[in-house]
Amino acid sequence: MGVKKCACIDTLYTELPWEERFAAAKNDGFEAVEFWDWRIRDLEATRKAAEAAGIMISGFNGDADYSLVDPTHKEKYIDYLRQSVQAAKTVGAKSVTIHSNALGDGGVVVNHYDDLSDTVKLCSMYDMLLECAKIAEEEEINLNLEALNITTDHVGNFLKYTQMGAEICHLIGSPRLKLLYDVYHMQINEGCICDTITNYVDQFGHIHVADAPGRHEPGTGEINYKKVLRHLEACGYQGLVGYELFPLTDTAAAVKAIMEEC
């Protein structure tokens, strides 16, 4: 049957003007697109481009300058999340992605919070996620909490393991709050991809794909994506698989590899 493919158009199709990326992704066989920062996009133009192309917008990042692990950020985090949810509704997106720490340019973790204990960070994240889940349920939009690698791309990020993120989502128990399982990030942090999928797939709301090392298309690194994606299907995952990767050469070659390998 094959997975439902979603293209990150902040890394793929970047040779095209923004509004042309939607039709290009649709024509290449993607069922949806996603992107990063909604604040820098014309939301009405984005919605119209997606509608004209006949492609769904999966979602985008929703936390920007604020951190779940910082208890002093609670009011600001919640206020900004509400803005992100409304932006998602404007473009017709189904979800918003959130993180433990604020990310700056290039995904750099803005504050490592070395002055806070892991206990404070965890309790703050849990407390804020309870409020986030209420908003998601009220607004009927999905939130996907993403763990990130801490050695290559996001040094200092607090949420780094699948188990912690999945267990928090399970404890909160909202159908609108799930984990974004990024295979690339988790290969770097913890490995054991198929076992992890088996153990926690019921808490996955979205999947991200890139090969490791390098963060390029499948087939350029060490991850056996044919096995991984078939295992996802066998374990009952029915959501989107987002290709958030940087082409090794160009978009056309990356898309060819995506469609052949996955």
Side-chain angles (χ1 to χ4, degrees):
M1 183 173 165
V3 300
K4 293 183 285 187
K5 298 178 177 67
C6 174
C8 176
I9 55 173
D10 269 322
T11 60
L12 294 168
Y13 303 104
T14 56
E15 68 278 6
L16 297 176
W18 180 251
E19 288 86 356
E20 294 180 19
R21 299 179 194 181
F22 300 87
K26 176 69 173 180
N27 292 338
D28 279 340
F30 291 100
E31 296 186 38
V33 297
E34 60 184 290
F35 53 95
W36 290 335
D37 190 346
W38 61 266
R39 298 171 300 177
I40 64 172
R41 303 300 179 189
D42 182 323
L43 298 183
E44 286 297 333
T46 296
R47 177 183 58 80
K48 290 177 181 178
E51 289 177 349
I55 195 167
M56 178 178 71
I57 297 177
S58 171
F60 45 69
N61 293 341
D63 38 20
D65 302 325
Y66 306 111
S67 299
L68 288 169
V69 297
D70 184 343
T72 70
H73 277 194
K74 184 174 183 178
E75 183 177 350
K76 292 179 287 189
Y77 190 99
I78 296 301
D79 285 346
Y80 185 75
L81 179 66
R82 290 187 184 278
Q83 295 177 49
S84 296
V85 167
Q86 292 310 308
K89 289 190 167 187
T90 297
V91 301
K94 306 298 182 183
S95 69
V96 170
T97 300
I98 55 178
H99 307 86
S100 62
N101 295 62
L103 303 176
D105 292 341
V108 174
V109 175
V110 175
N111 191 333
H112 297 186
Y113 292 105
D114 294 329
D115 57 323
L116 298 181
S117 69
D118 284 356
T119 301
V120 169
K121 294 174 187 176
L122 182 58
C123 289
S124 175
M125 184 163 67
Y126 183 80
D127 176 56
M128 280 199 238
L129 285 174
L130 285 171
E131 296 299 316
C132 292
K134 290 178 184 177
I135 294 170
E137 290 174 11
E138 291 168 2
E139 299 289 348
E140 299 184 332
I141 197 161
N142 298 323
L143 298 180
N144 293 314
L145 175 66
E146 185 176 22
L148 305 171
N149 84 71
I150 59 167
T151 60
T152 307
D153 302 289
H154 307 289
V155 176
N157 197 67
F158 177 67
L159 183 60
K160 53 185 177 289
Y161 297 125
T162 305
Q163 182 179 11
M164 177 186 283
E167 288 181 348
I168 287 175
C169 292
H170 178 73
L171 283 171
I172 291 174
S174 170
R176 292 291 184 177
L177 175 65
K178 295 293 182 180
L179 188 70
L180 194 166
Y181 180 67
D182 189 307
V183 183
Y184 163 77
H185 288 309
M186 294 304 99
Q187 169 68 358
I188 293 172
N189 280 356
E190 61 190 18
C192 299
I193 294 168
C194 288
D195 285 346
T196 299
I197 291 169
T198 299
N199 292 334
Y200 302 111
V201 69
D202 64 312
Q203 294 302 316
F204 293 174
H206 194 66
I207 304 292
H208 273 170
V209 160
D211 217 335
R215 206 171 185 178
H216 304 306
E217 59 267 27
T220 59
E222 65 193 10
I223 302 174
N224 182 351
Y225 268 112
K226 286 186 183 294
K227 170 66 176 177
V228 169
L229 295 175
R230 295 299 81 77
H231 191 66
L232 265 173
E233 290 184 283
C235 289
Y237 180 75
Q238 297 180 338
L240 290 167
V241 173
Y243 292 84
E244 186 192 46
L245 55 86
F246 297 92
L248 182 61
T249 55
D250 56 34
T251 297
V255 170
K256 184 175 185 291
I258 288 167
M259 297 304 171
E260 289 178 350
E261 290 285 328
C262 307

